[in-house]
């Protein structure tokens, strides 16, 4: 079980946070499991310990669900 308290989240108040979220989404959409693992490791996820069933919960945590970032005219 992944300890989500050790996983970094996207800082919504930081400049470029929407772009960071978009890059994470694009990496996931490509479907390259190695690229997804590298991206998750950047957020502090131990991918060796990550089960496939936990993947969605970890990504939601990083993205700040249940309120994910949304594009606005002020976003980059």
């Amino acid at each position: 079980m992944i300890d989500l308290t050790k996983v970094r989240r996207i800082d919504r108040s930081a400049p470029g946070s929407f772009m960071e979220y978009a890059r994470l989404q694009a990496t996931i959409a490509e479907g390259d499991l190695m690229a997804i693992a590298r991206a998750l490791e950047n957020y502090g996820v131990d991918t060796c310990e990550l089960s496939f069933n936990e993947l969605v919960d970890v990504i939601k945590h990083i993205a700040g669900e249940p309120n994910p970032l949304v594009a606005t005219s002020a976003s980059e």
Side-chain angles (χ1 to χ4, degrees), residues 18 70-76:
F18 182 75
V70 292
T72 65
S73 58
S75 296
E76 292 184 3

Side-chain angles (χ1 to χ4, degrees), residues 2-62:
I2 295 293
D3 180 3
L4 293 178
T5 62
K6 296 180 180 179
V7 176
R8 183 176 69 81
R9 298 181 88 166
I10 295 174
D11 180 0
R12 294 164 179 258
S13 62
S17 59
F18 182 75
M19 290 304 297
E20 182 179 357
Y21 181 62
R23 280 191 302 274
L24 179 61
Q25 282 185 315
T27 299
I28 294 166
E30 289 173 6
D32 179 349
L33 293 178
M34 292 305 293
I36 294 170
R38 285 190 301 273
L40 293 178
E41 286 171 350
N42 289 333
Y43 291 95
V45 177
D46 181 357
T47 56
C48 293
E49 297 294 322
L50 181 66
S51 73
F52 192 75
N53 293 334
E54 295 174 305
L55 182 60
V56 172
D57 291 334
V58 168
I59 293 170
K60 284 182 178 180
H61 174 78
I62 292 169

